[in-house]
Amino acid sequence: MESAMALSTQSCTLIGYEKAGRSSHSSLRFSRMHAEGRTLQKLNLRDSRPSCGSIRSRHVARLEISCSYKNSSASALDSENSHATVDEALILKKKSQEVAPYVNGRCIYLVGMMGSGKTTVGKILSEVLGYSFFDSDKLVEQAVGVVSVAQIFKEHSEAFFRDNESKVLRDLSLMHRLVVATGGGAVIRPINWRFMKQGITVWLDVPLEALARRIAAVGTDSRPLLHQESGDPYTKAFMRLSTLSEERGDMYANAHSRVSLQYIADKQGHGDASILTPTAIAIEALVQIENFLNDTGSNGKCL
């Protein structure tokens, strides 16, 4: 399987990404050397694996991508109020520095409904933790050689997509120091949980009204489970999301941590989850990851 990944929020043409003179939290390291070497080869990643004693190496990782995000609806959060305040940026940096040593290189998997902001928040988390970012849907598209998930559903089937999604999550589970934005339906297969729970799973829990507004704002054509519904964009998005929420709510709750956007909005005193910045959500994600690690006593040093 040939797959690729993106680190740029603007472009998905061929990208070389190098990190130099960064701290240990910026190093892309791998502990399962043989298995992960095969995974890197499958995902077209060049491996430069520094040991704990070589965190000052001249270059850590070079990542290449050959996909295009032209038709991507990465997250409707991008069309919301996405500008972080200076205070938020400082809080995010401080919290990431506190949490990173205890995350200890484990992958972070973001789960949640379509439009919940997994890609946008995931890129923020990967940046502040010095991790690399993967969008599992994009990797499936690359593996299949089709430009969108909607097209895969149309030309093949949902089952075909889910099979390839599981293969991608299996390969990613062999790696470390990644933030992975998963597809909204990744939670429906128990095997996927086995892969994801080798890392830390985080559920972005967004009120359905806010989700429906986001999806309606960017259109439903790219959403294979929505675009065939009848009615105006908001109504059909809300109705379908309500059904999916009932079907998948307990599955999302299997995540190690839950980030409730309504809770964040209430804590900020305005109660409107739709105006939260992605940075505020990323901060809460780090807080909930920290709470999970404290509750389980999970910590450690360099991998």
Side-chain angles (χ1 to χ4, degrees):
M1 178 187 77
E2 291 187 0
S3 302
M5 59 167 280
L7 289 177
S8 170
T9 60
Q10 302 297 328
S11 172
C12 285
T13 54
L14 185 65
I15 295 173
Y17 181 80
E18 295 192 4
K19 297 176 182 178
R22 301 282 293 276
S23 69
S24 60
H25 306 319
S26 302
S27 301
L28 182 60
R29 285 194 294 273
F30 307 89
S31 65
R32 304 176 197 175
M33 302 291 283
H34 183 62
E36 292 179 12
R38 293 198 304 270
T39 302
L40 287 168
Q41 194 171 35
K42 290 180 181 178
L43 296 173
N44 288 338
L45 282 172
R46 296 181 187 175
D47 178 17
S48 56
R49 315 173 187 197
S51 64
C52 289
S54 61
I55 60 176
R56 297 177 183 270
S57 60
R58 289 188 300 274
H59 71 281
V60 176
R62 183 175 182 85
L63 308 173
E64 294 183 351
I65 182 166
S66 59
C67 69
S68 171
Y69 272 61
K70 285 190 294 185
N71 297 320
S72 171
S73 57
S75 168
L77 275 171
D78 293 332
S79 63
E80 301 276 354
N81 177 16
S82 60
H83 300 291
T85 65
V86 173
D87 285 345
E88 280 184 341
L90 291 174
I91 293 170
L92 178 69
K93 181 178 180 180
K94 183 175 185 295
K95 180 55 64 177
S96 67
Q97 291 172 341
E98 294 172 353
V99 174
Y102 300 101
V103 176
N104 194 26
R106 281 165 284 195
C107 292
I108 296 172
Y109 296 87
L110 300 180
V111 301
M113 296 281 280
M114 63 181 81
S116 59
K118 300 183 292 291
T119 296
T120 301
V121 174
K123 288 176 180 177
I124 293 173
L125 290 174
S126 68
E127 179 67 22
V128 296
L129 292 172
Y131 275 29
S132 299
F133 175 77
F134 275 59
D135 182 318
S136 66
D137 281 354
K138 295 299 173 185
L139 294 179
V140 173
E141 291 167 7
Q142 277 287 306
V144 177
V146 176
V147 297
S148 70
V149 173
Q151 188 176 343
I152 295 174
F153 273 55
K154 181 178 179 180
E155 294 184 0
H156 300 279
S157 66
E158 180 177 356
F160 177 84
F161 171 81
R162 298 297 174 202
D163 289 343
N164 281 276
E165 180 179 56
S166 294
K167 292 175 183 176
V168 164
L169 292 174
R170 178 198 63 199
D171 291 340
L172 293 175
S173 73
L174 300 175
M175 302 170 69
H176 292 290
R177 307 189 73 83
L178 304 176
V179 176
V180 180
T182 67
V187 297
I188 67 177
R189 287 194 171 186
I191 186 64
N192 293 343
W193 282 107
R194 189 197 308 176
F195 299 140
M196 294 190 294
K197 286 207 168 183
Q198 294 185 43
I200 300 169
T201 51
V202 180
W203 172 24
L204 300 188
D205 183 11
V206 184
L208 294 183
E209 295 84 356
L211 280 178
R213 284 197 298 271
R214 291 174 182 176
I215 292 172
V218 299
T220 59
D221 288 346
S222 64
R223 307 286 182 178
L225 297 182
L226 291 180
H227 76 281
Q228 294 180 339
E229 300 288 331
S230 61
D232 67 276
Y234 174 82
T235 300
K236 68 179 183 180
F238 182 80
M239 296 301 292
R240 183 58 173 149
L241 288 168
S242 298
T243 300
L244 290 173
S245 179
E246 291 179 5
E247 294 173 352
R248 299 174 179 175
D250 291 342
M251 300 173 191
Y252 291 130
N254 285 326
H256 294 127
S257 301
R258 173 177 173 246
V259 176
S260 168
L261 270 66
Q262 189 60 58
Y263 170 78
I264 303 171
D266 291 343
K267 187 167 61 173
Q268 291 187 357
H270 52 74
D272 187 353
S274 66
I275 66 173
L276 294 174
T277 66
T279 299
I281 300 167
I283 292 169
E284 183 66 17
L286 290 171
V287 169
Q288 295 306 321
I289 289 171
E290 182 178 42
N291 290 342
F292 163 70
L293 295 175
N294 286 336
D295 290 343
T296 60
S298 300
N299 55 48
K301 306 241 183 236
C302 180
L303 288 170

